Amino acid sequence: MNFEKIKKFCYQFGNHPKFSNFIVALILLNAITIGLDTSPTLSARFGAWFNYINNVVLIMFIVEAAFKIIGVAPRVGQYFKDLWNDFDFLIIILSLIPAVGSIAMVARLARLMRVLRIIRKLKGLRLIINTLLRSIPDAANVLLLLSIIFYIYAIA
């Protein structure tokens, strides 16, 4: 099998709607597992299973990124043009940080950030987030206007 066939397979598989739905299911499973792991009782009893699920989910996220990167190879920069791909890749990198010592909180936060990946998979939610991000400069102008009004009111 030549590289072009592998590349085509990876691109089609990595962008297939069924694979995307599978990733959404993994994100939801990961969210539930993270939530259950906060209970000391459940963590003591099922902590090994929670860790196993966490590792499987992380591996699948790495596989998803690998399929998408191989699918656009050798122009890997094309993968990183999409800010959502950058976000996914950052979460994967942060999730690889060992959860020990002083950086345990960063590793736990990275695991929690995986849940935010669902924003990328749900188009309606992604549209809302993109709109909110684009409206931040306008919100700053509204805040400035309100500050001026409050200043005038305080002086009066």
Side-chain angles (χ1 to χ4, degrees):
M1 189 187 288
N2 65 10
F3 183 70
E4 285 302 315
K5 287 183 181 180
I6 293 171
K7 180 178 158 180
K8 182 179 177 183
F9 171 79
C10 287
Y11 183 82
Q12 289 174 341
F13 189 83
N15 293 300
H16 197 277
K18 287 184 180 179
F19 185 65
S20 184
N21 291 339
F22 174 70
I23 295 297
V24 168
L26 283 179
I27 293 169
L28 294 174
L29 174 67
N30 192 236
I32 291 168
T33 304
I34 290 170
L36 293 174
D37 197 24
T38 61
S39 166
T41 306
L42 292 175
S43 185
R45 186 167 181 187
F46 301 107
W49 281 101
F50 294 155
N51 193 35
Y52 175 75
I53 291 170
N54 178 52
N55 290 335
V56 168
V57 169
L58 177 58
I59 289 168
M60 289 308 300
F61 288 165
I62 292 170
V63 167
E64 177 195 23
F67 273 131
K68 289 183 176 185
I69 290 170
I70 293 170
V72 295
R75 296 182 308 256
V76 177
Q78 193 174 5
Y79 171 81
F80 291 105
K81 280 184 181 178
D82 183 357
L83 291 177
W84 289 106
N85 286 341
D86 294 346
F87 178 71
D88 290 349
F89 197 78
L90 177 66
I91 289 173
I92 290 170
I93 296 300
L94 291 175
S95 295
L96 292 172
I97 297 172
V100 293
S102 60
I103 58 173
M105 183 58 79
V106 174
R108 188 173 188 100
L109 184 62
R111 280 182 42 204
L112 189 57
M113 284 176 54
R114 287 188 212 162
V115 177
L116 294 176
R117 289 192 66 214
I118 202 154
I119 294 169
R120 174 178 212 247
K121 301 297 180 182
L122 302 175
K123 290 181 182 177
L125 196 55
R126 189 173 60 217
L127 177 66
I128 291 170
I129 296 297
N130 285 337
T131 303
L132 282 172
L133 291 175
R134 277 184 268 148
S135 68
I136 286 174
D138 295 330
N141 290 332
V142 170
L143 182 63
L144 180 62
L145 177 64
L146 286 173
S147 298
I148 293 170
I149 291 171
F150 282 130
Y151 180 73
I152 292 171
Y153 179 75
I155 291 174

